[in-house]
């Protein structure tokens, strides 16, 4: 079943071509609870949109989000209203905190330290990171330290107020929002711009990708380098962990996605982006399949990739060829909705598109594997007194 375009949001402002109002959508993000969507629509603006849009609205024709006038930029979903965050600089990276909304009688780790329960971090062109309170749209912090573009951001998924940023200044920095955004660590090791950072769901590891042929894997406990993942033939630009932290995928300008075991550093498989001639111009160059973004689906059975050959691809975990394609122009980023069912993609012209994605009922085998792998490393699985075939299944070595 091919992805179907459900909706497309376009900036209401006319495109300007000076560098200060770059119109690319370099980043899109869903809040972990699926209640908000953040869209860096270019022109130094981020839109915060209450989610879901609703089944009827998602099925409607393309809609535009005007950037002029408060009436056009405000819509209601209960008490939540759409907000426009004027960042003052080109926005490159977005990340929601993983802090859940507080409920009556609950003790929330973020609220316990006096912080809002949901924040959005924005990485900017001048090296600043601005952190916003989602419910009000108020600016909470401006984090200073990077010397160049903040290209990507990642919050620790375990509810702690730890933020990691990746920058063109070739460093990653670790921030603690419970301590007024204090910088707690600088990670150096890359020799090129850092494009992407991803914290594993179990919060034990951090992967970073730069304009190099290798990705770096760091410990989130000691903030030391664990290993270099070498295997790509060109710059690695995107990375993501599976929901159980047992797999890591990296995407490169070499038109390949490599699937790794992050615990052993072993390459488990390579997904090659073979050009589809019907989707390409006859004048296409060799780099038209250069990858831009890769992400895991929430249940961990699918991957989505965006490449320069104007295609969104969806891959099943155990197959070497894509199971679905969708034509899209100038794609830059992709992200799954946290509860599955569709994918958001950002484009170079500032648009964001929402696509259907395969809905799958996970097998009992996969659910058991995922439950075990959320707290067992590869080495711990291999040490279990169980049959070899079962070990291979639990360590994703059966495909």
């Amino acid at each position: 079943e091919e992805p179907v375009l459900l909706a497309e949001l376009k900036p209401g402002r006319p495109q300007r071509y000076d560098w200060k109002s770059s119109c690319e959508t370099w980043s899109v993000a869903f809040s972990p609870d699926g209640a908000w969507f953040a869209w860096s629509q270019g022109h130094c603006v981020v839109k915060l949109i209450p989610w879901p849009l609703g089944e009827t609205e998602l099925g409607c024709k393309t809609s535009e989000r005007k950037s002029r006038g408060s009436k056009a930029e405000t819509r209601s979903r209960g008490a939540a209203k759409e907000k426009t965050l004027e960042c003052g600089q080109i926005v490159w990276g977005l990340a929601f905190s993983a802090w859940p909304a507080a409920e009556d009688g609950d003790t929330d780790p973020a609220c316990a330290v006096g912080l809002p329960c949901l924040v959005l971090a924005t990485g900017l062109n001048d090296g600043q990171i601005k952190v916003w309170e989602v419910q009000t749209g108020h600016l909470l912090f401006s984090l200073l330290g990077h010397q160049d573009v903040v290209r990507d951001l990642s919050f620790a998924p375990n509810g702690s107020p730890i933020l990691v940023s990746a920058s063109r200044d070739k460093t990653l920095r670790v921030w603690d929002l419970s301590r007024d955004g204090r910088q707690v660590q600088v990670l150096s090791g890359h020799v090129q711009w850092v494009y992407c950072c991803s914290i594993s769901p179990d919060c034990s590891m951090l992967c970073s990708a730069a304009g190099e042929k290798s990705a770096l894997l760091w410990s989130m406990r000691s903030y030391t380098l664990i290993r270099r993942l070498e295997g790509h033939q060109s710059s690695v630009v995107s990375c993501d962990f599976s929901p159980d932290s047992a797999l890591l995928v990296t995407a490169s300008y070499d038109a390949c996605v490599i699937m790794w075991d992050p615990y052993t550093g072993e390459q488990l498989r390579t997904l090659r982006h073979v050009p589809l001639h019907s989707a390409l111009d006859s004048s296409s160059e060799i780099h038209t399949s250069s990858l831009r973004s890769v992400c895991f689906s929430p249940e961990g059975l699918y991957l989505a990739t965006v490449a320069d050959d104007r295609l969104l691809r969806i891959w099943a975990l155990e197959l070497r060829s894509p199971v679905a394609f969708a034509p899209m122009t100038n794609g830059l980023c992709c992200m799954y909705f946290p509860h599955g069912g569709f994918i958001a993609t950002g484009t170079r012209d500032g648009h964001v598109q929402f696509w259907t994605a395969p809905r799958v009922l996970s097998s009992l085998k996969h659910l058991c594997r995922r439950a075990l792998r959320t707290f067992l490393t590869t080495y711990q699985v291999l040490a279990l007194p169980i049959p070899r075939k079962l070990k291979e299944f639990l360590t994703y070595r059966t495909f």
Side-chain angles (χ1 to χ4, degrees), residues 60 134 141 155 160 178 195 225 251 259 298-299 347 373:
C60 289
V134 171
F141 305 114
F155 272 100
S160 70
S178 68
Y195 289 118
L225 183 65
M259 192 179 300
E299 81 292 324
T347 70
R373 291 310 309 271

Side-chain angles (χ1 to χ4, degrees), residues 272-292:
R272 304 185 187 281
H273 286 61
V274 179
L276 294 185
H277 297 294
S278 61
L280 298 173
D281 293 334
S282 58
S283 61
S284 298
E285 298 179 359
I286 192 170
H287 297 296
T288 51
S289 291
S290 295
L291 282 157
R292 292 289 173 178

Side-chain angles (χ1 to χ4, degrees), residues 304-346:
T305 58
V306 170
D308 283 348
D309 62 0
R310 307 172 195 163
L311 288 173
L312 165 68
R313 289 175 173 83
I314 298 177
W315 310 73
L317 192 64
E318 301 191 0
L319 298 176
R320 293 186 182 273
S321 299
V323 296
F325 301 85
M328 62 175 299
T329 304
N330 297 325
L332 292 175
C333 60
C334 60
M335 174 170 273
Y336 269 90
F337 181 63
H339 306 309
F342 56 90
I343 299 167
T345 58

Side-chain angles (χ1 to χ4, degrees), residues 101-150:
E103 297 179 4
D104 292 340
D106 286 355
T107 301
D108 184 84
C111 299
V113 294
L115 288 171
C117 293
L118 185 64
V119 300
L120 175 73
T122 55
L124 306 181
N125 199 72
D126 62 356
Q128 281 193 79
I129 301 165
K130 290 188 176 181
V131 183
W132 310 79
E133 184 178 3
V134 171
Q135 291 296 334
T136 64
H138 292 157
L139 179 64
L140 295 174
F141 305 114
S142 289
L143 309 181
L144 305 177
H146 281 298
Q147 305 301 309
D148 207 334
V149 170
V150 177

Side-chain angles (χ1 to χ4, degrees), residues 38-365:
W39 164 33
S40 66
Q41 65 165 46
H43 310 288
C44 311
V45 167
V46 172
K47 288 285 189 181
L48 268 175
I49 303 170
W51 206 258
L53 295 178
E55 293 298 326
T56 55
E57 188 174 352
L58 270 177
C60 289
K61 60 183 180 180
T62 297
S63 59
E64 291 196 4
R65 297 278 169 174
K66 300 297 183 182
S67 297
R68 298 186 298 268
S70 59
K71 288 184 180 179
E73 66 189 22
T74 302
R75 60 184 293 274
S76 296
R77 175 180 165 266
K81 294 184 178 180
E82 180 180 309
K83 299 171 183 67
T84 299
L85 307 180
E86 297 282 355
C87 297
Q89 291 279 329
I90 297 170
V91 181
W92 292 83
L94 296 173
F96 281 99
S97 70
W99 304 325
E103 297 179 4
D104 292 340
D106 286 355
T107 301
D108 184 84
C111 299
V113 294
L115 288 171
C117 293
L118 185 64
V119 300
L120 175 73
T122 55
L124 306 181
N125 199 72
D126 62 356
Q128 281 193 79
I129 301 165
K130 290 188 176 181
V131 183
W132 310 79
E133 184 178 3
V134 171
Q135 291 296 334
T136 64
H138 292 157
L139 179 64
L140 295 174
F141 305 114
S142 289
L143 309 181
L144 305 177
H146 281 298
Q147 305 301 309
D148 207 334
V149 170
V150 177
R151 186 65 184 82
D152 197 23
L153 297 160
S154 182
F155 272 100
N158 63 354
S160 70
I162 297 298
L163 173 67
V164 175
S165 55
S167 171
R168 283 186 181 176
D169 67 9
K170 306 174 187 177
T171 70
L172 298 113
R173 293 173 191 253
V174 184
W175 314 83
D176 187 347
L177 299 193
S178 68
R179 300 164 67 186
D180 295 325
R182 180 181 300 181
Q183 179 178 290
V184 297
Q185 195 73 34
V186 178
L187 305 181
S188 301
H190 287 291
V191 296
Q192 299 291 337
W193 293 352
V194 189
Y195 289 118
C196 182
C197 60
S198 179
I199 301 175
S200 62
D202 67 3
C203 295
S204 67
M205 296 171 284
L206 167 72
C207 182
S208 58
E212 304 157 11
K213 296 179 182 179
S214 59
L216 301 189
L217 196 65
W218 310 81
S219 168
M220 280 296 289
R221 297 186 175 97
S222 62
Y223 298 123
T224 55
L225 183 65
I226 299 173
R227 65 172 52 89
R228 290 180 179 271
L229 300 174
E230 299 181 340
H232 284 290
Q233 303 303 309
S234 188
S235 300
V236 185
V237 295
S238 183
C239 56
D240 195 25
F241 284 93
S242 62
D244 58 6
S245 303
L247 297 173
L248 170 69
V249 288
T250 54
S252 167
Y253 286 160
D254 65 9
C256 291
V257 169
I258 296 180
M259 192 179 300
W260 311 81
D261 184 321
Y263 295 102
T264 66
E266 181 182 349
Q267 292 186 38
L268 300 181
R269 68 170 36 195
T270 299
L271 305 178
R272 304 185 187 281
H273 286 61
V274 179
L276 294 185
H277 297 294
S278 61
L280 298 173
D281 293 334
S282 58
S283 61
S284 298
E285 298 179 359
I286 192 170
H287 297 296
T288 51
S289 291
S290 295
L291 282 157
R292 292 289 173 178
S293 184
V294 61
C295 63
F296 264 101
S297 63
E299 81 292 324
L301 289 173
Y302 289 92
L303 293 171
T305 58
V306 170
D308 283 348
D309 62 0
R310 307 172 195 163
L311 288 173
L312 165 68
R313 289 175 173 83
I314 298 177
W315 310 73
L317 192 64
E318 301 191 0
L319 298 176
R320 293 186 182 273
S321 299
V323 296
F325 301 85
M328 62 175 299
T329 304
N330 297 325
L332 292 175
C333 60
C334 60
M335 174 170 273
Y336 269 90
F337 181 63
H339 306 309
F342 56 90
I343 299 167
T345 58
T347 70
R348 194 172 290 279
D349 52 12
H351 298 192
V352 63
Q353 299 169 324
F354 301 99
W355 305 85
T356 57
R359 284 191 177 273
V360 60
L361 185 63
S362 299
S363 67
L364 183 58
K365 287 199 310 181

Side-chain angles (χ1 to χ4, degrees), residues 246-247 259-269 318 369 373 377-379 381-382 388-399:
L247 297 173
M259 192 179 300
W260 311 81
D261 184 321
Y263 295 102
T264 66
E266 181 182 349
Q267 292 186 38
L268 300 181
R269 68 170 36 195
E318 301 191 0
R369 173 171 60 185
R373 291 310 309 271
T377 69
T378 299
Y379 297 113
V381 170
L382 295 176
R388 179 176 58 86
K389 289 288 187 183
L390 189 51
K391 291 182 181 181
E392 290 176 350
F393 175 76
L394 291 175
T395 56
Y396 292 90
R397 283 161 173 79
T398 55
F399 41 69

